[in-house]
Amino acid sequence: MAPYFGGSAADWAIYNTDDGGQAFISAADAQRRDLVLAYFPTATEAEKVGTAVSKRKGRISALPVKLRSDVPTGQISWIVGNKNVGEDDSELAEDMADRARRAGATDADLIAQMVAYALACHRANQALVIHFQL
């Protein structure tokens, strides 16, 4: 039950921390520290990270995020579609972040969403290869 309804749950989200890690942090603290939300390509991956970083070891809920309208989904899916499905996630993420910066993106949240969308496309391509046994 959410705190709004008198419960004891914490409505915190996972943020990327200054030290390169991830942690559950309140929105107010994250804003004060200028942290960026952690975005994940799948709900399963979000729940796995949430369980790993949880200090309370309580229930974890992974909620979908509506992509910002300035995330170029068509371009990202085309770029990822032309990559090898065996490419390492970190290489793909670094490439997408670099492409975003070269295109003029300066908003860290926008770049994080673009990278997460690229990884989601990558997961979908990997699933197709498995499904069609390519």
Side-chain angles (χ1 to χ4, degrees):
M1 178 176 277
Y4 182 79
F5 297 105
S8 61
D11 291 334
W12 291 11
I14 299 175
Y15 286 86
N16 296 316
T17 58
D18 298 327
D19 62 2
Q22 295 173 324
F24 278 103
I25 300 173
S26 70
D29 190 27
Q31 184 178 17
R32 182 182 54 76
R33 294 168 53 189
D34 198 27
L35 300 178
V36 176
L37 273 170
Y39 296 100
F40 301 94
T42 67
T44 302
E45 291 174 68
E47 290 171 1
K48 182 177 177 183
V49 171
T51 300
V53 301
S54 174
K55 293 181 179 168
R56 296 177 60 187
K57 302 304 178 197
R59 287 187 167 167
I60 304 297
S61 298
L63 304 173
V65 173
K66 183 176 173 63
L67 282 176
R68 294 169 48 157
S69 61
D70 49 351
V71 173
T73 56
Q75 293 168 319
I76 292 171
S77 62
W78 184 83
I79 291 167
V80 174
N82 286 301
K83 291 186 170 285
N84 188 304
V85 295
E87 183 168 351
D88 185 70
D89 285 353
S90 60
E91 291 176 17
L92 178 65
E94 186 177 323
D95 180 43
M96 281 295 122
D98 287 343
R99 287 173 184 263
R101 288 186 199 97
R102 286 195 312 265
T106 57
D107 182 350
D109 185 73
L110 172 62
I111 294 169
Q113 281 199 19
M114 292 170 74
V115 168
Y117 185 78
L119 290 170
C121 292
H122 193 50
R123 296 291 179 279
N125 292 342
Q126 291 169 332
L128 284 173
V129 167
I130 292 168
H131 178 74
F132 290 110
Q133 300 175 1
L134 299 175

